[in-house]
C-alpha cells in the first residue's frame, strides 16, 4: 500500500491513474477536495478495490494517524497543496495552512508511524515530497538553469510556502532520519489540469470565443513538462532515489508564454477550426502583469538522468497536441469542474476581459 495526498488534483490524479494502470500496489488517496480536487477525475477507479479514497485534510493530525495505522503504507507521496500563484497573491493564508502546516502535520504523522516499524520496514519506508522549481526564484535570460545546488529565493506566497515545506522535509531527514526525497519540478501540463492555469485556460477560453489573457509582454519563460513524464520521474525517485536527496525534474522545454499560447491557437486552428473561419490567435489579449511575476524558470535535469536514468519522453510539440486533443474530447469533464466558484474566480481575476 502507498499513501498519496492530493490524488484528486491534476498531477496526483494522473499519478494514481498511471500507478494503478501499471499494476502498482493499492493506493490510499488522501484529499480534502478543495476547488482544485475533482472526484470525477477518479471515476475510472470506481469499484476498484485497489483505490481507497479518504476525504481528509492533511492538517488533521488525528485523521492522518488513523490512516497510517489502518493502512500501514510503505511510502507516502505528498502532492496535496494549494498550487495557483495568482490565488496565493490574493489570499496567501490558505497556502501557509496547507503547504506549510499541512506538510508539517503529515511529516509528524509519518514520523510517528515510521518510528514504530521494525528495522527492515523502517529502512524501506519512503516519504516523497513533490515540490516546484519556483522555490529557486527568477532567472535572467542568460543565467544557467536551476540545479540541485541553486539557493532558494522564493518570490510569491505560493513559492515561499512550498520552500518552507521543502525545508521541513529536509529537516525531518536530517534530524530524525525519516527517509525523505524531494522533487522540484517545472510547469506541468496535460489531461485533467484545472482550467485556471495557463494552458487549459487558453484552450477552454479559445473554444468559447473568449479573450486569451497574456500577462505583461508575454515574454516570461517557463519550462514545460508533460504530466505523465512527471509521474514517471516520481515513480523513479520513489523506486531508486537516494534517500535525503532532492531531484530537479524538467522537460528541457523553455518557452515564452506568448509562444505557448500561439502554439495552442495553431493546434486548435488545425483540430477544431473556429466556425467563423477566424484564427484563434486573434483572441490573444495582453493584460496587466501579475505582481512580482518571475521572469524565467529553467531546469537542469541532468542529475536525475545520470543517477536514475529518467528523461522525459514527450517534447513540447507532441505533448501540447495530446493535451489540446484531450480537452477537445473531454468537454464534459471541463463542464463538470468549472463550477460556480470557478466562474467567480474568472470574474474577479479577469475583470474587463471577456
Ligand atoms: P492541484 O491544485 O491541481 O491539486 C492539489 C490537490 O490537493 C487537490 O486535489 C486538492 O483538493 C488537494 N488539497 C489541497 N489542500 C489540501 C489539504 N489541506 N489536504 C488534503 N488535500 C488537499 O495541484 P497540482 O498542479 O496537481 O500540483 C500537485 C503538487 O505538485 C503540488 O504540491 C504542487 O506544488 C506541485 N507542483 C505542481 C506543478 C504544476 O505545474 N502544476 C509543478 C511542480 C510542482
Ligand atoms: P501558471 O499556469 O499560473 O503557472 P505558474 O505561475 O506556476 O508558472 O502560469 C504560467 C505562466 O503563464 C506564468 O508566467 C503566468 C502566465 N499566465 C498568463 O500570462 N495569463 C494567465 O491568464 C495565466 C493564468 C498565466
Amino acid at each position: 500500500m502507498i499513501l498519496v495526498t492530493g490524488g484528486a488534483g491534476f498531477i496526483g490524479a494522473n499519478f494514481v491513474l498511471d500507478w494503478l494502470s501499471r499494476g502498482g500496489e493499492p493506493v490510499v488517496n488522501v484529499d480534502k477536495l478543495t476547488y482544485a480536487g475533482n472526484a470525477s477525475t477518479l471515476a475510472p477507479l470506481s469499484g476498484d478495490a485497489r483505490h481507497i479514497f479518504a476525504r481528509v485534510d492533511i492538517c488533521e493530525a488525528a485523521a492522518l494517524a488513523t490512516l497510517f495505522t489502518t493502512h500501514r503504507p510503505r511510502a507516502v507521496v505528498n502532492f496535496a497543496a494549494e498550487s495557483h500563484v495568482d490565488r496565493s497573491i490574493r489570499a496567501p493564508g490558505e497556502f501557509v495552512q496547507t503547504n506549510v502546516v499541512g506538510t508539517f502535520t503529515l511529516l509528524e504523522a509519518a514520523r510517528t508511524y515510521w518510528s514504530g516499524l521494525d528495522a527492515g520496514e523502517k529502512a524501506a519506508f519512503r516519504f516523497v515530497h513533490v515540490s516546484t522549481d519556483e522555490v529557486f526564484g527568477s532567472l535572467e535570460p542568460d543565467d544557467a538553469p536551476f540545479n540541485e545546488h541553486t539557493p532558494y529565493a522564493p518570490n510569491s506566497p505560493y513559492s515561499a510556502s512550498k520552500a518552507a515545506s521543502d525545508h521541513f522535509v529536509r529537516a525531518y531527514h536530517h534530524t530524525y532520519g525519516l527517509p525523505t526525497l524531494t522533487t522540484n519540478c517545472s510547469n506541468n501540463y496535460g489531461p485533467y489540469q484545472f482550467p485556471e492555469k495557463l494552458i487549459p485556460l487558453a484552450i477552454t477560453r479559445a473554444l468559447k470565443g473568449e479573450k486569451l489573457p497574456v500577462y505583461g509582454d508575454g515574454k516570461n519563460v517557463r519550462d514545460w513538462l508533460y504530466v505523465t513524464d512527471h509521474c514517471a520521474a516520481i515513480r523513479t525517485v520513489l523506486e531508486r532515489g537516494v534517500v535525503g536527496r532532492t531531484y530537479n525534474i524538467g522537460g528541457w522545454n523553455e518557452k515564452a508564454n506568448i509562444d505557448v499560447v500561439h502554439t495552442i491557437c495553431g493546434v486548435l486552428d488545425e483540430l477544431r477550426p473556429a466556425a467563423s473561419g477566424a484564427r484563434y490567435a486573434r483572441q490573444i489579449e495582453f493584460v496587466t502583469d501579475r505582481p512580482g511575476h518571475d521572469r524565467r524558470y529553467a531546469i537542469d535535469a541532468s542529475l536525475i538522468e545520470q543517477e536514475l536514468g529518467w528523461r522525459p519522453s514527450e517534447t513540447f510539440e507532441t505533448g501540447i497536441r495530446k493535451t489540446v486533443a484531450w480537452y477537445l474530447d473531454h468537454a464534459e469533464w471541463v463542464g463538470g469542474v468549472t463550477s460556480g466558484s470557478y466562474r467567480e474566480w474568472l470574474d474577479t481575476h479577469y475583470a474587463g476581459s471577456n
Side-chain angles (χ1 to χ4, degrees):
M1 175 73 81
I2 63 166
L3 187 151
V4 170
T5 72
F10 164 46
I11 306 173
N14 273 286
F15 180 85
V16 170
L17 290 166
D18 263 18
W19 177 269
L20 291 175
S21 79
R22 286 162 189 279
E25 311 121 287
V27 173
V28 55
N29 186 347
V30 180
D31 197 297
K32 181 183 175 182
L33 291 181
T34 67
Y35 80 91
N38 295 293
S40 68
T41 307
L42 300 165
L45 297 175
S46 76
D48 187 331
R50 298 171 307 159
H51 181 244
I52 298 162
F53 187 78
R55 186 170 190 177
V56 164
D57 185 331
I58 59 163
C59 299
E60 289 173 29
L64 290 178
T66 304
L67 288 170
F68 274 100
T69 47
T70 308
H71 299 292
R72 305 190 54 77
R74 66 137 179 122
V76 172
V77 186
N78 181 30
F79 293 96
E82 287 292 332
S83 71
H84 187 33
V85 174
D86 293 318
R87 287 187 191 252
S88 84
I89 293 168
R90 282 177 193 266
E94 204 50 45
F95 287 71
V96 175
Q97 193 56 29
T98 284
N99 300 1
V100 187
V101 178
T103 301
F104 160 73
T105 309
L106 183 66
L107 281 164
E108 270 295 272
R111 179 170 78 90
T112 305
Y113 163 72
W114 170 78
S115 304
L117 297 177
D118 67 37
E121 290 170 327
K122 252 177 139 170
F125 187 80
R126 294 290 181 272
F127 185 107
V128 177
H129 177 61
V130 179
S131 192
T132 166
D133 60 355
E134 304 196 23
V135 296
F136 300 119
S138 187
L139 293 169
E140 296 297 329
D142 296 328
D143 286 347
F146 305 129
N147 63 36
E148 286 76 6
H149 304 292
T150 305
Y152 275 32
N155 289 320
S156 72
Y158 164 66
S159 55
S161 66
K162 290 296 291 186
S165 69
D166 295 6
H167 290 323
F168 272 101
V169 172
R170 176 190 159 90
Y172 269 62
H173 174 65
H174 191 79
T175 306
Y176 304 111
L178 188 70
T180 66
L181 299 118
T182 297
T183 58
N184 293 95
C185 186
S186 58
N187 286 55
N188 283 214
Y189 67 102
Y192 302 114
Q193 187 168 29
F194 193 68
E196 65 183 354
K197 303 279 173 77
L198 179 67
I199 288 180
L201 183 94
I203 299 169
T204 52
R205 284 178 74 96
L207 292 170
K208 285 190 277 178
E210 294 170 349
K211 296 278 191 220
L212 309 180
V214 175
Y215 298 160
D217 63 3
K219 299 211 174 111
N220 299 65
V221 169
R222 299 293 183 260
D223 173 69
W224 293 96
L225 181 67
Y226 192 65
V227 64
T228 50
D229 276 331
H230 188 188
C231 295
I234 294 167
R235 285 196 305 274
T236 304
V237 168
L238 178 58
E239 276 164 33
R240 304 197 288 281
V242 178
V243 163
R245 276 251 217 297
T246 68
Y247 292 95
N248 280 5
I249 303 172
W252 305 102
N253 276 311
E254 281 186 63
K255 303 276 174 204
N257 293 336
I258 187 66
D259 296 335
V260 168
V261 177
H262 271 292
T263 303
I264 291 168
C265 290
V267 177
L268 279 171
D269 286 335
E270 202 186 306
L271 299 183
R272 181 73 57 87
S276 65
R279 298 270 176 197
Y280 286 103
R282 287 181 50 185
Q283 292 166 228
I284 293 173
E285 178 184 56
F286 290 93
V287 299
T288 309
D289 209 353
R290 170 188 284 173
H293 194 176
D294 284 339
R295 192 63 174 168
R296 174 174 167 241
Y297 304 141
I299 282 271
D300 175 352
S302 1
L303 177 72
I304 187 170
E305 179 170 354
Q306 284 157 14
E307 200 175 277
L308 307 180
W310 174 87
R311 244 195 100 76
S313 60
E314 301 287 345
T315 64
F316 187 71
E317 288 62 37
T318 58
I320 200 71
R321 283 188 81 82
K322 283 189 182 177
T323 304
V324 171
W326 188 90
Y327 278 89
L328 289 173
D329 289 345
H330 292 81
E332 207 175 302
W333 180 88
V334 174
V337 303
T338 47
S339 63
S341 67
Y342 171 72
R343 277 188 285 274
E344 265 167 47
W345 165 257
L346 292 187
D347 290 346
T348 326
H349 190 63
Y350 297 105
S353 280
N354 54 34

